[in-house]
Each structure stands twice: as structure tokens, then as C-alpha cells.
Amino acid sequence: MDPINSAVETLMSGTNTLFILLGAIMVLFMHAGFAFLEVGTVRHKNQVNALVKIITDFGISTIAYFFIGYWVAYGATFFSGAAELTQNNGYDLVKFFFLLTFAAAIPAIVSGGIAERAKFNPFLIASFFIVALVYPFFEGMIWNGNFGYQAWLEATFGAAFHDFAGSIVVHAVGGWVAFAAVYLLGSRQGRFRNNKLVAFAPSNIPFLALGAWILTVGWFGFNVMSAQTIDAISGLVAVNSLMAMVGGTLVALMVGKNDPGFIHNGPLAGLVAVCAGSDIMHPIGALLTGGIAGALFVFVFTWAQNNLKSFDDVLGVWPLHGLCGLWGGLAAGIFGTTTFGGLGGVSFLAQLVGSLTGVAIATLGGFIVYGAVKQISGLRLEPEDEFQGADLAIHKIAASSMDD
């Protein structure tokens, strides 16, 4: 090979590896956002548990995805020698790291919904099977063309299912898996009194806001780096993410009546929704997508809290990720078309069928996994432990000392 061409290939390989590594680091940091968002939302007696769940779930997810999940999704393993694994500057290894951070978001999403009354070890076991089997099953169908699903959609509707950065593959799947877990777990003690909702106020608004900001900043790695190679990067993805974030924030501000919890979840709702079509929408379409998502989160979260008495979704992960993710899959089929200024190449019917397929697989998988764990070991803390709080009941330490 020509030495110049060889040097150029080596440079591009190294650049692509660094590019996706930076994305993996940014999405890894988003897990700190998940942690602090939950810490700020739950009551003081459950703050330690919130922190511990996120980091241990990430560890469990890594093992599950490395040994099983990545193979289920992409048919690839890492059992060859290091000499082979380091080809192309180890790009395949770093790609695994990047996609792992997406997979690990599923139990992180679930964690917020089941907060304050869930057993610790049983949910870690459930997280293993969700990341090893349920999530990669659908991930492989969409991002690797497994089972000929994408080819069928294209032949039937004229376009494959488009989900650039995971509105459905990651967020809707996480939200609907969480739906199953929250439903099976039941409401927290004292949540309703005389058939009236008892508000459990967030314990720390600054921590809640910090978590939202960490997630928001990391999301630009989540979306932009989904290109996976430097030559495929697009400024359109970055600006669309920005506009959706702003749309979600401002609409949540208006319909949420200045509530800081809604305001800080608004940008997250917008970013969840724009993931799917962030590479093909016009920025105005992204703004509308984010705005609708912000309103959807506020209205459905409020309705669910007041009307679904056995469905106690502490952080609102089902409306935020499950429903806003579902809206994002559909929005890509609307605002991604050339009619609305997008780049085209999408079919609304393909987006509808693909989105509903993801919801169905996630919901069924969630009920199977969490239902099995419930039968074997139970999902919920004993009433006395729940009253005492997960921090002392599980971890034997409080978040702060009373002596301070």
C-alpha cells in the first residue's frame, strides 16, 4: 500500500476511534445526571440508594452487554486475542463502549420509576436480563437489521424505520420496560390518603437541576456522536438537539406553571423526542417536536399521579422516556419529510409500525423479567424497611449526618 494512503487511513482510524470514545465518555457522564436527578427528586431517606443503584446498574449492564447483549444485537464477541481486538486502533472495542452506555441507560431509566420502595439485589438481577436479552433483541432489529425486520419495513412502506440516536431503541424501550416494573411494584406507602394524592416533595431542587443539566450537556454526545465516524458528523444534529431542548424547556415552563421539576424535565423531554429524527429534521421541526414533548410530559405526568393510584412512577420515567420517546419515533416520520423541510427518506407508516414494535417488545419483556423476579424473590421492600427508607434498610447509612 502507498505509504501516504496508509498514513491517511491510520489517521482516519485513530480519529474515528477518538471521536466515538469522546461520545462514550459524554454518555457515561450522563449516568451521573440520572443519579443526581433521582437524588434530588426522592426523599432524604432514599438518596444513598439512588446513587448506589445507578453505578451498580452500570456495572451489571457492562457484564451483561459484554458477554451476551452485544452478541445478541450484532453477532460480535470479544473472545479473540488482544492483537485482533486492537486492529483499527481498537475502534470496535470503543464502539462497544459507546453502545454500552446506551444499553446501560435502560436500568438507569427504570431506577427513577421504582425509587423508594424496591428491593436492591432483585432489581440488579432483573437489570442483567433486560440488558442481556430484552434491549439488544430490539436494538439488533433496528440498528443491525436482524431478522430481516428493516428490510420488511422498507419493502412494505418504502422506507426502513429511522431512529438515528434512540428515541425508540433506547428511550421508549427504557420507558416501557419501566412501565412494567412500576406497575408490578405498586405505589409507595402513604401515597394516597382518603383517596387523595399526598405530595412527596423533591428533597433537593439543586441536585435535581444538576442532574438535568448533566443529562442535557451529555445528550449532545448521545446524539451527535451517534454518527459513529468523523466523516458522518452533522451540525444539523447538534442544532436540532438544541432547538428541541429549548422547545421542551419553554413549553414545560408555560404549561407547568413555573414548577422547577417540570422546567428541568422539559429539556429532557425535548431531547428524548428529537433523538430519532435529529439528523433529518429542519430545526423548526425539531423545536416543535421538543415543545410537544414538553407538554406531553407535564400533562401525562400530572394525570398519572392523580389518577393511576397503583402506578407510582416517582420520576415520571414512563411519560418522559416511554411516551416522549414514542412521540419522537412518530415525529421523525412527520418533520423528517421534505414536506416539512426535512431531508426525507422516511415513511410515517414505517415509523408508526417500528415504534409500536419497540413498545410491544419492551413492555412484554419488562413484564416477563420483572414478573419472574417478583415470583422468585419479590420486588418490594418490607413495609418497615420502606418506612425507614432504603438508605438505612439496604445500605446502613444515611446521606448526611445529623451531627453536621
Side-chain angles (χ1 to χ4, degrees), residues 63-333:
I63 299 302
Y65 200 63
F66 183 87
F67 287 103
I68 304 173
Y70 196 73
W71 171 75
V72 170
Y74 300 102
T77 64
F78 301 101
F79 300 122
S80 55
E84 182 176 338
L85 294 178
T86 54
Q87 291 180 2
N88 298 318
N89 298 90
Y91 177 83
D92 289 340
L93 285 173
V94 179
K95 179 181 177 181
F96 155 77
F97 180 15
F98 180 67
L99 292 172
L100 160 68
T101 59
F102 283 50
I106 306 302
I109 290 168
V110 174
S111 176
I114 54 92
E116 300 203 328
R117 77 275 200 205
K119 288 184 175 180
F120 185 60
N121 289 330
F123 270 91
L124 288 181
I125 294 169
S127 294
F128 180 91
F129 287 103
I130 292 294
V131 176
L133 299 172
V134 177
Y135 169 76
F137 179 81
F138 184 66
E139 176 191 18
M141 289 173 60
I142 302 306
W143 286 343
N144 198 48
N146 293 355
F147 312 115
Y149 182 72
Q150 288 282 40
W152 173 76
L153 286 176
E154 187 169 4
T156 305
F157 301 112
F161 178 69
H162 188 90
D163 191 357
F164 180 70
S167 286
I168 299 296
V169 174
V170 179
H171 297 288
V173 166
W176 286 92
V177 165
F179 178 90
V182 171
Y183 179 85
L184 291 170
L185 199 56
S187 297
R188 288 168 287 178
Q189 290 179 357
R191 189 62 171 146
F192 288 90
R193 188 174 302 150
N194 298 323
N195 287 324
K196 292 184 178 180
L197 177 70
V198 176
F200 292 160
S203 61
N204 193 308
I205 295 296
F207 275 166
L208 186 157
L210 175 63
W213 270 110
I214 292 172
L215 285 166
T216 297
V217 173
W219 224 297
F220 287 85
F222 195 99
N223 283 2
V224 175
M225 267 73 165
S226 286
Q228 298 191 17
T229 56
I230 197 73
D231 61 306
I233 192 171
S234 172
L236 182 65
V237 177
V239 172
N240 281 344
S241 300
L242 173 69
M243 297 301 280
M245 179 200 87
V246 169
T249 303
L250 296 180
V251 172
L253 166 69
M254 290 184 288
V255 300
K257 300 177 181 178
N258 299 330
D259 183 284
F262 288 143
I263 292 169
H264 285 94
N265 276 281
L268 308 184
L271 286 162
V272 164
V274 82
C275 286
S278 58
D279 63 325
I280 57 173
M281 290 181 180
H282 188 279
I284 297 176
L287 179 68
L288 294 172
T289 297
I292 292 170
L296 180 65
F297 171 73
V298 173
F299 289 135
V300 175
F301 179 83
T302 303
W303 173 83
Q305 291 288 300
N306 287 290
N307 294 281
L308 302 182
K309 296 181 180 180
S310 63
F311 187 80
D312 188 6
D313 184 356
V314 180
L315 267 69
V317 298
W318 172 60
L320 181 66
H321 297 275
L323 295 183
C324 291
L326 177 59
W327 157 240
L330 302 179

Side-chain angles (χ1 to χ4, degrees), residues 43-50 115-118 189 381-398:
R43 290 169 289 179
H44 286 285
K45 61 183 180 179
N46 298 295
Q47 289 182 325
V48 172
N49 183 243
E116 300 203 328
R117 77 275 200 205
Q189 290 179 357
L381 290 171
E382 295 299 322
E384 183 178 346
D385 289 338
E386 183 179 343
F387 178 79
Q388 180 181 223
D391 293 358
L392 293 178
I394 298 172
H395 309 291
K396 314 305 180 186
I397 192 169

Side-chain angles (χ1 to χ4, degrees), residues 32-43:
F34 282 119
F36 278 99
L37 188 69
E38 184 172 338
V39 167
T41 304
V42 299
R43 290 169 289 179

